[in-house]
């Protein structure tokens, strides 16, 4: 098959880019694969795709930022989508031209706005696969209303967790669309797994409020009170960096908690630790959890929606604690720090259990989905086996009505506010 991924900006940094490059690279062994980036702002991508994956851009902002059409707001890309301000009539035009001229068997959209383009503009010969990298409940009522209208023309919709796939089946009426969970994959490690002897806890990701690194730092003060020779290393950059630095100073943890900056790849850093930590209030999947586990670290995580509870087996390969509870988080860290044997045993279990997120199993599932969808399309059907039916029709209609009402109320409120200016 020829498979084409449509992505917002492959030249930046982020989880969607990472997992798209991972899946695209793994598929090159048996398929012709390309990544089409709507936007481009630099010469080379921050993350390097597999050498057999072709990468091209539709709008080069280095030369076309001031293009007259790029100054006009997008009409196809939904206005309720978070990235709408970066889209324009120029992106509408270029995406439409790309979809009309593609010779791919399967085109995969990687965010809601691009899935809408795919659903509305891809030719009938193409299998249309929309990916959800966040969650349905994370979207506004206005966006859910727009997606409900467009997504009915998709063949397949994938989510990164079973919980979110269930939400789509219950709340969105998408007859003929196959909805299935397809988790993100993490490449096979090349370094030996951690042995659990290092007195280091590691956290990594974007330093933004929802990730709650402040809670991890607060919890770690409990650890330092009992084990002053342990360290917490936090990798990443973001808007919370200065606030975290101030918190570390206030708590007197400057000898124990370190802001390490970004590291890529992270594998060499994970294996230096003995425990992974993540304290998000909300986590669609949890790539860093899988990365840590694949490197031999049991992970202490908040049991937030949706990903951690589907990745971590509490008490076997990590610990799940209530969202926002720093005392429970610190207690869970101390459980593993106090018991060397348990920590090592859980690290071994983490490696074993996380193999289900290796490229092999995930790619095999993706190939099966794509092949069945192509076969269904060629036979005049859609989606293939397992497509969503109408058993939840009444429930989904109720959600649709509520979303429509909320969207209408929000639109009316915006109109009133504009009138007062």
């Amino acid at each position: 098959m020829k498979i084409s991924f449509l992505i917002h900006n492959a030249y930046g940094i982020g989880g969607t880019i990472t997992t798209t490059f991972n899946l695209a690279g793994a598929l090159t062994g048996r398929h012709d694969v390309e990544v089409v980036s709507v936007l481009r702002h630099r010469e080379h991508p921050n993350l390097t795709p597999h050498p057999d994956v072709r990468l091209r851009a539709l709008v080069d902002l280095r030369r076309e930022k001031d293009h007259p059409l790029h100054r006009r707001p997008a009409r196809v890309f939904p206005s309720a989508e978070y990235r709408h301000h970066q889209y324009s009539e120029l992106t509408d035009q270029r995406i439409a031209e790309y979809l009309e001229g593609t010779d791919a068997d399967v085109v995969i959209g990687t965010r809601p706005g691009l899935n809408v383009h795919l659903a509305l503009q891809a030719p009938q010969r193409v299998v249309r696969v929309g990916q959800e990298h966040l969650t349905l409940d994370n979207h506004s009522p206005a966006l859910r209303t727009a997606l409900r209208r467009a997504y009915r023309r998709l063949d397949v919709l994938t989510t990164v967790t079973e919980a979110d796939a269930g939400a789509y089946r219950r709340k969105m009426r998408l007859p003929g669309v196959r909805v299935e969970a397809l988790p993100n994959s993490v490449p096979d490690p090349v370094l030996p797994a951690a042995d659990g002897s290092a007195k280091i806890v590691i956290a990594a990701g974007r330093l933004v409020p929802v990730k709650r690194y402040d809670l991890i730092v607060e919890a770690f003060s409990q650890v330092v009170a009992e084990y002053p020779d342990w360290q917490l290393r936090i990798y990443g950059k973001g808007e919370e960096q200065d606030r975290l630095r101030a918190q570390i100073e206030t708590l007197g943890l400057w000898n124990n908690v370190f802001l390490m900056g970004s590291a890529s790849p992270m594998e060499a850093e994970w294996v230096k630790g003995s425990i992974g930590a993540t304290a998000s209030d909300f986590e669609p999947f949890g790539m860093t959890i899988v990365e840590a586990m694949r490197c031999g670290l049991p992970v202490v995580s908040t049991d937030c929606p949706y990903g951690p509870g589907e990745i971590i087996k509490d008490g076997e390969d990590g610990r799940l604690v209530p969202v926002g509870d720093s005392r429970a988080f610190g207690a869970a860290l101390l459980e593993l720090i106090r018991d060397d044997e348990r920590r090592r045993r859980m690290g071994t279990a983490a490696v074993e259990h996380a193999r289900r997120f290796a490229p092999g199993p995930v790619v095999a599932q993706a190939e099966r989905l794509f092949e069945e969808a192509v076969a269904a399309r060629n036979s005049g059907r859609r989606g293939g086996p397992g497509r969503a039916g109408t058993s939840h029709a009444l429930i989904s209609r109720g959600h649709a009505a509520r979303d429509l009402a909320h969207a209408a109320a929000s639109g009316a409120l915006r109109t009133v506010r504009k009138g007062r200016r």
Side-chain angles (χ1 to χ4, degrees), residues 300-324:
V300 175
S301 173
T302 47
D303 191 13
C304 63
Y306 285 86
E310 292 191 15
I311 299 172
I312 295 171
K313 296 182 179 180
D314 190 29
E316 294 184 32
D317 52 26
R319 287 300 323 280
L320 294 169
V321 301
V323 173

Side-chain angles (χ1 to χ4, degrees), residues 193-194 196 274 292-299 316-318 341-353:
S274 289
M293 291 173 65
R294 297 217 72 196
C295 289
L297 276 63
V299 177
E316 294 184 32
D317 52 26
E341 178 54 36
R342 185 183 185 199
R343 186 171 68 249
R344 293 189 181 99
R345 184 171 65 251
M346 291 176 74
T348 300
V351 173
E352 181 63 30
H353 294 168

Side-chain angles (χ1 to χ4, degrees), residues 200-231:
I200 299 171
V201 176
I202 294 180
R206 293 178 298 118
L207 306 186
V208 293
V210 72
K211 299 295 186 179
R212 295 302 309 272
Y213 289 98
D214 62 311
L215 187 144
I216 300 177
V217 172
E218 184 179 346
F220 200 72
S221 65
Q222 300 174 50
V223 173
V224 173
E226 189 172 335
Y227 293 91
D229 54 343
W230 274 70
Q231 294 182 5

